[in-house]
Amino acid sequence: MAVMILPYPNEITLSEKRRLLQESDLRLEHDDAIEPEGYRLEIDAHDAVLASSTDAGRFYGLQTFRQLQDADGFVPLCTISDAPRFSWRGFMVDSSRHIQTIDEIKAMIDAAAAYKLNIFHWHLCDDQGWRIESERYPLLHTVGGWRDGWGFGNPNPEKYGGWFTKAQIREIVQYCADRFITVVPEFDMPGHCSAVLKAYPALSCTGESCDVNTEAGVFSNVLCAGKEETFDFCCSVLEEIMELFPGEYIHIGGDEVPKDGWNNCPHCRKRMQDEHLANAEALQGYFTTRIARFLRANGKTPIGWNEVLEADLAPGEIVATKWWDPKGLCDDFANRGGKVIMEETRHVYLDYNYQTTSLRQSYSYDLLPDSFTDEGKRNVLGIEAPIWTEWVEDFKRMGYQVFPRLLAVAERGWTNEPQDYAGFKARAEAQRDALGARGIEMAPYAEWDPED
Ligand code: TNX
């Protein structure tokens, strides 16, 4: 008998027998011996028990129960003993390049929760738009939230943009909490800051105005790392962000920072001299360290894209997201005690087309490669997959890009010995209707593995 559970449970014995059972028939038990986020489901002819040590574990047991139940309400008699392989099972949504509605964000969160993901990394600002309402710096959203019309997927000449109000953000944070998902907000700095600098040009090296970008790419509009105002600004905005997002983690970006402007800037040059920094890479290290320490002083754990490691940071300074790391900086960092999240382009960049990143490639992502020592492997927190939205203009497109590949991510993050690929594909296809009911249209089966 095929059971279409996804992610596949770590220990499961199943009987051919089935019985009619409602969720409300489950006897809920507390069992301290079960791992956090783990659960045990025991369904026999007379009894049905869902045991866990935490509310999250109970929630995950319920997700499994729902997948076990057929359309008539029957479930197989079974014993399932299950707990996640990794504590970090994340998905990232870019709301800058294109913005989503609150209902669309919620649909993604619901789907993620059903497959036991527990982190929503929310990329809320970039060169193409700032999306967080700010009271201290209102031009961030009222000016930085908009870009000129036409192009970049905007079919009309009206300005494109918008932002999430504080009330909406609180609503999403609560929505996630109800589903045992932690929201990790990102304020990407010091690069990818055109929207910030459109609103507050004085924070750039030259002080010259720039536009919120209407194209994809890497732009030279970076925050000045010499001026004290930059740090005052970033920390002040982060205080507002911390007020909105109660979770432990704040992502501070740090990716793709062109250094030409810094090298030619008297403020940055003075900073390098005063702080005995050998070059602009070291200046980014100074920038990262200062912001990271500010966050830690406020009880938060900072995260940065792997470029922050170009500056040789101590393992305790920051958590690194490994996305494009040809030099293996993250591996070395983990081997020295730093924490790393696995998020590599060729396996889990959900904005890439299926020709570039097939479902098979996502499913075969090795999260603990041998470039990590045993200690390094222990420092891998888990997996995350981003949907960058330069070319994802609407929710239909998002569904196509994200599913089924996010299902592979969910299984990689949860299951110790991921199942055979053919079996996984069958279980992924079996999610089509459930996702459809959430308004998410998965990519057609024939497109998942163009090479096969
Ligand atoms: C690189 S991933 C970026 C993003 C783009 C993405 C497109 C990362 C830290 N930076 O700004 O959206 O590639 O795939």
Side-chain angles (χ1 to χ4, degrees):
M1 176 185 28
V3 280
M4 292 293 149
I5 306 173
L6 205 156
Y8 206 75
N10 281 299
E11 280 176 49
I12 174 166
T13 47
L14 274 173
S15 149
E16 293 288 327
K17 298 204 187 83
R18 296 178 157 258
R19 64 180 272 219
L20 192 60
L21 204 62
Q22 304 305 318
E23 225 166 274
S24 54
D25 297 331
L26 289 171
R27 209 150 55 71
L28 303 175
E29 270 182 15
H30 182 93
D31 182 347
D32 273 328
I34 298 176
E35 287 177 51
E37 295 196 301
Y39 65 93
R40 197 176 58 242
L41 197 55
E42 287 172 312
I43 301 173
D44 63 23
H46 315 285
D47 206 359
V49 175
L50 169 54
S52 67
S53 61
T54 65
D55 292 344
R58 177 174 297 172
F59 180 79
Y60 294 135
L62 270 183
Q63 304 313 309
T64 298
F65 178 83
R66 287 175 191 164
Q67 293 186 8
L68 281 169
Q69 209 171 29
D70 68 20
D72 300 318
F74 283 86
V75 297
L77 307 190
C78 61
T79 306
I80 297 176
S81 192
D82 203 11
R85 182 183 188 206
F86 291 103
S87 62
W88 193 284
R89 304 180 303 280
F91 67 109
M92 192 215 85
V93 175
D94 170 5
S95 290
S96 172
R97 276 60 177 269
H98 284 94
I99 191 169
Q100 303 78 27
T101 67
I102 290 295
D103 284 345
E104 288 164 353
I105 300 273
K106 285 183 177 173
M108 283 295 297
I109 292 165
D110 278 327
Y115 303 108
K116 305 186 175 75
L117 297 179
N118 65 353
I119 297 283
F120 170 35
H121 171 181
W122 202 357
H123 187 80
L124 282 160
C125 58
D126 213 302
D127 296 304
Q128 294 82 358
W130 179 275
R131 306 285 176 231
I132 310 169
E133 180 186 14
S134 170
E135 271 149 30
R136 297 188 186 179
Y137 296 93
L139 301 184
L140 277 176
H141 62 280
T142 59
V143 172
W146 298 96
R147 60 179 183 246
D148 282 341
W150 301 118
F152 207 48
N154 189 19
N156 65 57
E158 304 291 318
K159 276 188 176 299
Y160 178 94
W163 64 84
F164 299 107
T165 65
K166 291 198 168 185
Q168 286 174 321
I169 289 172
R170 290 203 176 91
E171 184 183 335
I172 290 297
V173 167
Q174 186 58 49
Y175 199 79
C176 283
D178 292 344
R179 288 153 184 78
F180 302 93
I181 291 176
T182 300
V183 187
V184 178
E186 179 178 352
F187 173 4
D188 197 348
M189 62 175 97
H192 287 281
C193 271
S194 303
V196 173
L197 294 173
K198 168 77 184 182
Y200 296 98
L203 299 173
S204 75
C205 289
T206 62
E208 278 164 33
S209 176
C210 68
D211 281 329
V212 179
N213 294 113
T214 53
E215 287 166 41
V218 176
F219 303 94
S220 55
N221 303 317
V222 308
L223 299 176
C224 178
K227 296 177 184 170
E228 268 313 286
E229 298 93 289
T230 302
F231 294 93
D232 295 343
F233 168 85
C234 290
C235 294
S236 181
V237 172
L238 284 169
E239 277 172 357
E240 272 192 296
I241 289 177
M242 288 189 282
E243 241 173 71
L244 286 170
F245 298 93
E248 178 187 345
Y249 297 93
I250 309 257
H251 206 298
I252 55 172
D255 56 316
E256 301 176 322
V257 184
K259 303 286 191 315
D260 288 359
W262 282 3
N263 281 323
N264 293 319
C265 165
H267 307 283
C268 290
R269 301 243 291 253
K270 177 161 192 315
R271 176 79 72 190
M272 287 193 253
Q273 208 173 25
D274 292 350
E275 300 291 336
H276 310 292
L277 304 167
N279 51 35
E281 293 305 339
L283 180 56
Q284 188 175 349
Y286 169 88
F287 183 96
T288 307
T289 306
R290 223 174 128 172
I291 299 294
R293 287 184 185 167
F294 169 77
L295 286 173
R296 284 210 317 281
N298 281 277
K300 300 289 182 182
T301 302
I303 311 179
W305 298 108
N306 56 230
E307 287 95 322
V308 299
L309 301 181
E310 298 275 348
D312 194 23
L313 300 187
E317 292 282 9
I318 201 159
V319 173
T321 14
K322 181 178 172 74
W323 71 281
W324 170 246
D325 183 21
K327 289 186 259 178
L329 296 175
C330 289
D331 313 42
D332 180 52
F333 186 62
N335 295 345
R336 289 187 287 121
K339 303 282 186 221
V340 169
I341 296 155
M342 301 296 278
E343 188 160 4
E344 281 171 281
T345 51
R346 66 206 149 109
H347 289 293
V348 292
Y349 264 44
L350 306 178
D351 55 321
Y352 290 17
N353 62 33
Y354 286 82
Q355 268 80 22
T356 313
T357 298
S358 64
L359 180 62
R360 185 186 287 278
Q361 259 167 293
S362 296
Y363 196 68
S364 60
Y365 191 8
D366 181 1
L367 301 178
L368 302 176
D370 286 336
S371 45
F372 291 92
T373 60
D374 288 346
E375 144 130 54
K377 289 178 184 177
R378 282 192 294 276
N379 288 324
V380 172
L381 294 182
I383 187 170
E384 185 178 297
I387 178 70
W388 299 102
T389 57
E390 287 96 332
W391 316 112
V392 180
E393 290 147 27
D394 57 32
F395 194 63
K396 187 174 158 68
R397 184 79 201 174
M398 184 172 288
Y400 170 91
Q401 295 292 131
V402 170
F403 290 100
R405 289 181 292 193
L406 192 63
L407 300 177
V409 171
E411 186 143 307
R412 274 285 146 183
W414 184 277
T415 308
N416 290 333
E417 298 289 339
Q419 301 295 299
D420 69 293
Y421 185 58
F424 165 73
K425 269 182 108 163
R427 286 180 293 111
E429 179 60 24
Q431 310 306 318
R432 187 173 295 281
D433 290 349
L435 286 167
R438 302 184 192 284
I440 295 172
E441 207 179 307
M442 231 183 353
Y445 188 90
E447 293 181 32
W448 294 359
D449 287 301
E451 300 279 298
D452 289 11

